[in-house]
Amino acid sequence: MFDWFAKVGKNAIDFFARFGREVLLFIQAVIGFATLIPRPGLVVQQLFSVGVRSMLIIIVSGFFVGMVLGLQGYNTLVDFGAEESLGVVVALSLVRELGPVVTALLYAGRAGSALTAEIGLMKATEQLSGLEMMAVNPVSRILSPRLLAGIISMPLLAAMFSAVGVFGGYLVGVDMLGVDSGAYWSQMQAKVDFNDDIVNGVIKSFAFGIVTTWIAVYEGYSCIPTSEGVSRATTRTVVYSALVVLGLDFLLTALMLD
Amino acid sequence: MPATDDNLVEIRGMHFSRGLSKIFTGVDIDIPKGKITAIMGPSGTGKTTLLKLIGGQIKPQQGTIHFHGENIPAMRTRKLYAARKKMGMLFQSGALLTDMSVFDNIAFPLREHTRLPEVMIRDLVIMKLQAVGLRGARYLMPSELSGGMARRAALARAIALDPEMILYDEPFTGQDPISMGVLVQLIRSMNEALGLTSVIVSHDIQETMAIADKIYIISQGEVVGHGSPEEIDKSDSPWIKQFMHGEADGPVPFHYPALPYKEDLLAEY
């Protein structure tokens, strides 16, 4: 019985200690943004590897998700004779929910895991230690540009996902199932609100960009510097990111609908 | 205690432990200016840890490490970074940044810490590469270098900022005889030509004895002997004898601490 309490206590302490380390690292990395002002090239390089390289998977997935929404939405709406509203259904689902969430999940799998593995291997091969001994702060030199690039990329990737998804829905709904093209666009234009829908979606994707990239760089930076340690850290990045994104999504949605 | 003029680094009464294992229990080491000091000892005695302590990457629980008369563990980050610019460290793996070429790796500390124009950086890098004989290899990526070449490139990077001291972490380990000879010669010539202070952590007796001015032997957390190579060679301390002659059993036991053999064999399964 006593052992059980001790175990719960130890886990709780470990959890908060870990959370504290994560927050401290995040703050250090954000402070490090200042060092990037004279060297924007570092961020551009990371924008390419984190953002541009994730575009293909995001665009292809967005297109398919849009097509599925078109099919499913049409089949439900047609029972009520409301298939003209397909554009609204597709656009709202994408902009408010699927765009930010699915993009964040794909981003964590594509870019987050790569970041963790890269930073973890830099640690394992003493490159981070080497930077420190060259009087270069590894947090601001390595983590800050990656974190900033992730925060910038996520909303843009989510926007692409939603935009491509709307066209996917159009392809299925209008071209294949015969919904009126004018109705698809005009209802969408009438019902999608800029502040309530689009801005909220951007806020979500921005928040997801922060947490997924934060998790990825923390896991890489704090991993055990062996091949097993790096592999575990990479797995943790994907699992934690997925859980945090879905949990945070519920929280943000509840706040936004309030 | 302020460092005397002769010593660049002075370690006094330094204790360091990681978790429950005690790595150093009261170590005193002097590193004289302009000389090559070797720290030797069996693997697992924390020789690399000692270099990290000198570099301020980890802090001892007790004791002082003075560099230029200032205590490294007590330094604030900014000061520590300033002190590190006066040190170069050669890692066992080289620790070259794998996403840039040899040229960019050596230019890296110059670009980070100086505002020199690119033309001048190019000249400096070529001079450093010439010193280690890799001028022709400047466009290769670190993955294309052999182990010995990687270590030489890393040495060029370590001297890029013209430090006062270089810390060598196991420079000879895993090198073929030719690379080993090249490194021995480089370390010695760097020390003479640039007036450097060198600290070598190693367990390669032959090579280290050949170039060191002063040797410290550490075992099980303590300094078990120090002196010039000749003094170490003549020493009758059982610790030093065992290490220098590679005897399997002695003060450092062959067996990891365990139950008596007979008892272990007869123990209930």
Side-chain angles (χ1 to χ4, degrees):
Chain A
M1 189 65 185
F2 195 72
D3 275 2
W4 186 79
F5 274 115
K7 217 173 180 178
V8 170
K10 189 189 176 311
N11 281 335
I13 291 172
D14 285 351
F15 173 80
F16 285 110
R18 183 194 147 90
F19 189 66
R21 283 195 300 273
E22 286 189 36
V23 172
L24 282 178
L25 188 74
F26 183 71
I27 294 171
Q28 284 172 4
V30 171
I31 292 172
F33 286 172
T35 63
L36 299 174
I37 298 167
R39 278 174 300 183
L42 288 177
V43 186
V44 174
Q45 213 179 337
Q46 292 308 319
L47 278 173
F48 179 74
S49 70
V50 168
V52 177
R53 290 218 170 122
S54 305
M55 268 171 63
L56 186 65
I57 182 175
I58 299 287
I59 287 173
V60 172
S61 313
F63 196 64
F64 278 105
V65 169
M67 291 203 295
V68 170
L69 280 175
L71 272 178
Q72 295 279 14
Y74 181 84
N75 274 328
T76 313
L77 291 171
V78 80
D79 291 346
F80 305 100
E83 67 270 21
E84 309 281 277
S85 308
L86 185 64
V88 187
V89 171
V90 170
L92 284 185
S93 320
L94 283 169
V95 171
R96 296 175 69 127
E97 280 303 323
L98 293 173
V101 173
V102 178
T103 306
L105 296 178
L106 291 170
Y107 170 85
R110 167 64 185 77
S113 58
L115 282 180
T116 305
E118 186 192 14
I119 297 170
L121 280 172
M122 289 182 90
K123 185 175 181 181
T125 52
E126 293 180 314
Q127 292 182 50
L128 296 183
S129 230
L131 285 177
E132 266 186 32
M133 286 307 297
M134 284 189 280
V136 174
N137 184 344
V139 174
S140 49
R141 184 63 173 65
I142 302 293
L143 303 196
S144 298
R146 286 165 173 76
L147 186 63
L148 187 60
I151 295 173
I152 296 173
S153 305
M154 247 305 287
L156 296 174
L157 290 171
M160 281 179 215
F161 185 96
S162 299
V164 172
V166 167
F167 282 104
Y170 183 90
L171 182 77
V172 169
V174 177
D175 290 345
M176 287 164 63
L177 299 171
V179 174
D180 181 60
S181 168
Y184 187 88
W185 293 121
S186 64
Q187 292 229 15
M188 191 188 298
Q189 195 183 6
K191 291 282 168 54
V192 178
D193 185 75
F194 182 73
N195 286 326
D196 282 352
D197 302 320
I198 294 180
V199 170
N200 279 352
V202 171
I203 292 175
K204 270 187 186 176
S205 58
F206 188 67
F208 296 160
I210 295 177
V211 292
T212 47
T213 322
W214 176 12
I215 290 173
V217 295
Y218 173 81
E219 287 297 341
Y221 193 68
S222 67
C223 77
I224 300 164
T226 60
S227 29
E228 199 208 356
V230 174
S231 112
R232 281 191 184 189
T234 313
T235 311
R236 274 202 304 270
T237 293
V238 177
V239 173
Y240 290 171
S241 296
L243 291 176
V244 170
V245 163
L246 295 172
L248 194 62
D249 182 45
F250 174 73
L251 205 73
L252 287 174
T253 309
L255 283 173
M256 285 167 179
L257 289 180
D258 195 24
Chain B
M1 194 186 307
T4 56
D5 287 346
D6 306 339
N7 294 332
L8 189 61
V9 178
E10 286 191 349
I11 301 177
R12 288 288 175 272
M14 194 263 292
H15 289 250
F16 178 76
S17 52
R18 190 175 273 144
L20 291 176
S21 61
K22 293 195 166 80
I23 308 212
F24 295 114
T25 49
V27 169
D28 298 333
I29 291 176
D30 289 331
I31 298 190
K33 223 173 252 182
K35 298 276 169 61
I36 301 179
T37 306
I39 316 271
M40 307 186 75
S43 353
T45 45
K47 300 189 298 291
T48 304
T49 310
L50 184 69
L51 293 187
K52 289 195 167 174
L53 283 159
I54 296 176
Q57 291 192 301
I58 44 180
K59 288 187 165 117
Q61 275 86 18
Q62 251 185 65
T64 57
I65 300 168
H66 283 281
F67 173 71
H68 265 299
E70 290 193 80
N71 190 13
I72 287 187
M75 280 184 188
R76 301 188 61 96
T77 314
R78 192 177 293 262
K79 213 156 180 203
L80 181 61
Y81 275 69
R84 279 184 189 154
K85 286 184 202 168
K86 297 182 192 157
M87 304 177 190
M89 180 152 171
L90 183 69
F91 286 85
Q92 207 172 336
S93 60
L96 293 169
L97 296 165
T98 43
D99 58 348
M100 42 177 99
S101 68
V102 169
F103 182 93
D104 289 329
N105 259 291
I106 291 148
F108 182 83
L110 295 165
R111 287 178 181 149
E112 287 288 322
H113 294 304
T114 68
R115 291 180 177 279
L116 297 176
E118 209 44 38
V119 198
M120 201 179 275
I121 287 183
R122 182 180 175 274
D123 289 350
L124 281 171
V125 171
I126 288 176
M127 282 154 70
K128 305 294 174 191
L129 281 170
Q130 171 71 13
V132 298
L134 290 180
R135 196 160 41 84
R138 73 186 109 145
Y139 298 118
L140 296 181
M141 294 301 280
S143 57
E144 296 169 293
L145 301 178
S146 71
M149 281 161 79
R151 229 165 266 188
R152 277 149 69 189
L155 182 56
R157 187 179 67 174
I159 57 168
L161 286 175
D162 293 321
E164 295 171 25
M165 174 171 78
I166 298 200
L167 308 168
Y168 297 92
D169 186 7
E170 303 278 7
F172 311 120
T173 306
Q175 298 293 320
D176 64 74
I178 299 174
S179 314
M180 198 120 91
V182 169
L183 283 163
V184 167
Q185 204 210 322
L186 269 178
I187 293 174
R188 195 186 342 221
S189 63
M190 294 270 169
N191 210 72
E192 282 165 12
L194 305 175
L196 287 167
T197 302
S198 307
V199 182
I200 302 176
V201 148
S202 179
H203 49 233
D204 291 282
I205 296 164
Q206 298 281 316
E207 289 71 26
T208 313
M209 291 285 271
I211 51 173
D213 296 307
K214 189 173 182 184
I215 295 179
Y216 279 87
I217 297 188
I218 49 176
S219 184
Q220 301 181 345
E222 283 168 25
V223 173
V224 292
H226 64 95
S228 66
E230 296 75 36
E231 285 165 2
I232 291 286
D233 208 28
K234 284 182 202 134
S235 166
D236 48 4
S237 149
W239 294 93
I240 298 178
K241 269 193 171 158
Q242 186 194 0
F243 183 74
M244 299 308 283
H245 300 117
E247 290 155 8
D249 211 355
V252 177
F254 170 67
H255 292 287
Y256 194 81
L259 285 177
Y261 192 31
K262 190 175 162 193
E263 217 174 287
D264 214 357
L265 283 175
L266 297 176
E268 299 263 332
Y269 184 62

